[in-house]
Every structure is written in C-alpha cells, then in structure tokens.
Amino acid sequence: MDLDVFTSTHRAEWDRLDVLLRRRRRLTGAEADELVALYQRAATHLSLIQSSAPDPQLTGRLSRLVARARATVTGTRRASWRDVARFLTAGFPAAVYRSRHWWVPTALLSTTVAVLLGWWIGTHPEVQSTIAAPSELRELTRPGGEYESYYSSHPAASFAAQVWTNNAEAAALCLILGIFLGLPVLWILFQNMLNLGVGFGLMSSAGRLDTFLGLVLPHGLLELTAVFVAAGTGLRLGWTVIDPGPRSRRAALAEVGRAALGMALGLALVLFVSGAVEGFVTPSGLPTWARTGIGILVELAFLAYVFALGGRAERAGDTGDLEETGRSAAVPTAA
C-alpha cells in the first residue's frame, strides 16, 4: 500500500467526519446517515493501515477519530439497576456455568489432594513432628485450642470482614495470574489444600475430626467452591493463551478476560456470604448439626443458582461477556 496515495485519497472523508463530529447542533437525518457511513469507512481504513502499512501518527489520528465517531453513533450508556439485576440473574451465573468444565474437575482434584494430604499427615507422626513440636500440636488440637478459638478470637463483624478480604484476594489472584499459563493458580490452589490438609490431619490424629469438620463445613463449602470457580477460570484463561481456538488470540483473551472480570465481582459477593457465615454462624452456640446444615443449604443454594439460572441463561445465548454495546468495536481486517 502506498500510504501517501491512500491518505490523499481518503483525507477528505476523514475531515468531513471530523466536521460532523464537531457539530454542536442536532444533525439532520441525511447528516446522521452520512456520519454512520463515514464512521464505517474510517474504521475499515484504520484496519487496513494497521495491517498493511502501520504509521504511528496516522494510526493515532484515525484511532481517535473512530473512537469519537463510535461514541457518537452508539451513544453514551449509563449503568442502571436493571444492569445489576441482569448481571446477578443471567450474566454471572451464565459465566460460572460455562466454566463448569474447568472448575468442577478443579474442585474434585483439589479436594482429593487435600484429603490425601490430611490422611498422610494424620497417619504419620514423623510428618507431624516436622510441622510443630508435640506441645504446640497439643495446643492446636486440644478442646478450646487454637483451631477452635480462631473462629471466636475477634468480634464477628470484623472477623467476617477480614475473612472476606483474604478470600477475595485469593480469588482475584487466581483470576489475574491465570494469564501466566495458569501456573501461579496451581500454586495458590496447592497452598490452600495444604492448609486444609494440615488441619484435617492434625485434628484427625487427635481424635477430633468431627470437631474440625463442624468448624470448617458451615462456611468452607461455599468458600472453597468460590475459590475453585476462580481457579478454574484462571486456568481457562491460561489455556486460552496456549490454544485460543478458531478466534485470534487477542479476541479470545478479550472475551475470556471480560467474563473473568465480571466473575470477580460476582465471586466477591459469594465470598461476602461465606465470610458472614464464618463470622456469625461458625463460632455461634448452635449445635454442630445446625451449623453444618446451614453451610450445606447455602452451598446447595449457590449450586442451584449456577446450574438452574446459569444453565437457562447460557441456553438463551448469554456468555457472561459484556453486552455488544459495551465491547470494543470490531472492524474488518485486510486479508
């Protein structure tokens, strides 16, 4: 492509588009149609220049022109409570549902690893001795020891806020670091399962596994599910870097990344619920069966929310991505 010839051929169209965009009065019907046509041609010109004869100065000018024209053509859209309702009833559950082939295996494999670690620690005293001294282990596992007092060591509200912050940070790291081929996500998962396995093994060796499960299950079911969803989404993002499928890698990462961003917001709400359960239900005076029952009900409610609402939204075509008006413009590319 001869860039000088191309520029001189189409400069009048770009200048005319700029004039229409600067008009302060309301455009006539003919002018509006002309603006749309010029916007579409300018977007195509930008794509041709980027793919055939990239020029930073001209690319920058056309990029700004196309962005202004798109904002004028599509209009400014403000978020509303309707958008929030749509996100909670369709977008978020659909995104989680569509990722089920990643987070469900992640949950099963991670839980298996935690159980095996717990069994190994609980049945091998020599392994326990590498964790802490015998006196320290007794202090951890005795009735009223550190494992039990941990959940009531702070006021419920502040403890719930602290738990929510820590878990939201772990979920966000899984979503963000997934871009690095998913390797940091595997490390975060292993650390979480190791901590769970250590508690499982030490309490079972002390004959207090029922107490441990009574402390973990009320909030742990939903909390771990949220972490597994975040980890599965992070792994999916990492795999998209390796295999974007039929789309370009940039387009595939943009779609999965936008869905992951929305999922981060949704999971923050899920972890808020699990943090509230951990802060107010787990250390409460309710009997173990009642606390555990609350945890199971909350977990079943979330799974029904994902597989019922999310499945229905996915079958209706919702992917958890932004609506078309909220995405970057896709313009034709040169062959």
Side-chain angles (χ1 to χ4, degrees):
M1 175 191 292
D2 188 321
L3 192 60
D4 292 332
V5 173
F6 187 86
T7 302
S8 63
T9 301
H10 298 289
R11 179 181 287 115
E13 297 179 20
W14 305 335
D15 291 341
R16 175 59 178 168
L17 177 58
D18 185 57
V19 169
L20 291 174
L21 291 173
R22 293 177 184 276
R23 287 272 173 89
R24 296 189 178 274
R25 63 173 175 79
R26 187 180 182 89
L27 298 179
T28 64
E31 288 174 333
D33 291 339
E34 182 185 9
L35 187 148
V36 172
L38 290 172
Y39 157 61
Q40 293 173 336
R41 287 204 290 271
T44 303
H45 297 160
L46 174 61
S47 178
L48 288 170
I49 292 171
Q50 288 175 325
S51 59
S52 302
D55 177 83
Q57 185 174 357
L58 184 57
T59 298
R61 180 199 171 188
L62 278 181
S63 296
R64 291 188 294 271
L65 187 64
V66 168
R68 288 167 51 209
R70 181 175 184 270
T72 301
V73 171
T74 60
T76 303
R77 186 174 181 275
R78 295 182 178 179
S80 65
W81 286 110
R82 184 178 180 182
D83 296 313
V84 175
R86 180 195 166 276
F87 171 74
L88 293 177
T89 59
F92 173 58
V96 178
Y97 181 80
R98 281 172 56 85
S99 299
R100 68 192 183 281
H101 299 301
W102 286 92
W103 64 263
V104 170
T106 298
L108 296 175
L109 182 60
S110 299
T111 303
T112 301
V113 169
V115 171
L116 290 177
L117 285 172
W119 169 82
W120 181 55
I121 293 171
T123 56
H124 291 76
E126 66 276 13
V127 176
Q128 298 172 29
S129 64
T130 65
I131 297 173
S135 60
E136 294 175 327
L137 295 179
R138 285 193 297 271
E139 180 60 30
L140 282 171
T141 58
R142 68 175 177 82
E146 292 184 24
Y147 269 122
E148 291 184 50
S149 62
Y150 168 77
Y151 295 100
S152 56
S153 57
H154 302 283
S158 62
F159 182 66
Q162 178 184 349
V163 167
W164 175 75
T165 302
N166 292 339
N167 291 330
E169 180 180 356
L173 286 175
C174 286
L175 292 169
I176 295 170
L177 299 180
I179 195 71
F180 298 105
L181 305 183
L183 297 178
V185 177
L186 296 176
W187 175 250
I188 294 171
L189 266 179
F190 177 74
Q191 289 295 312
N192 276 271
M193 294 306 101
L194 178 61
N195 290 335
L196 183 62
V198 168
F200 182 95
L202 293 180
M203 290 293 276
S204 64
S205 68
R208 308 194 66 230
L209 181 59
D210 56 338
T211 301
F212 178 75
L213 294 178
L215 292 171
V216 170
L217 290 181
H219 63 275
L221 291 173
L222 184 61
E223 177 183 299
L224 287 174
T225 300
V227 172
F228 294 147
V229 170
T233 303
L235 293 174
R236 180 189 177 197
L237 185 62
W239 183 252
T240 303
V241 177
I242 301 172
D243 181 15
R247 302 159 297 177
S248 68
R249 182 170 282 102
R250 180 179 179 180
L253 284 173
E255 180 180 333
V256 177
R258 287 191 301 263
L261 178 61
M263 200 165 315
L265 298 175
L267 289 177
L269 296 176
V270 175
L271 289 169
F272 176 81
V273 174
S274 71
V277 173
E278 187 168 0
F280 293 93
V281 176
T282 299
S284 70
L286 293 172
T288 300
W289 66 265
R291 289 184 281 111
T292 304
I294 291 173
I296 293 174
L297 287 176
V298 171
E299 172 72 1
L300 291 176
F302 176 71
L303 293 178
Y305 167 73
V306 169
F307 285 91
L309 283 181
R312 184 175 64 186
E314 195 266 349
R315 288 188 293 273
D318 201 317
T319 64
D321 196 359
L322 293 175
E323 293 185 13
E324 187 173 357
T325 55
R327 306 175 200 165
S328 299
V331 297
T333 56

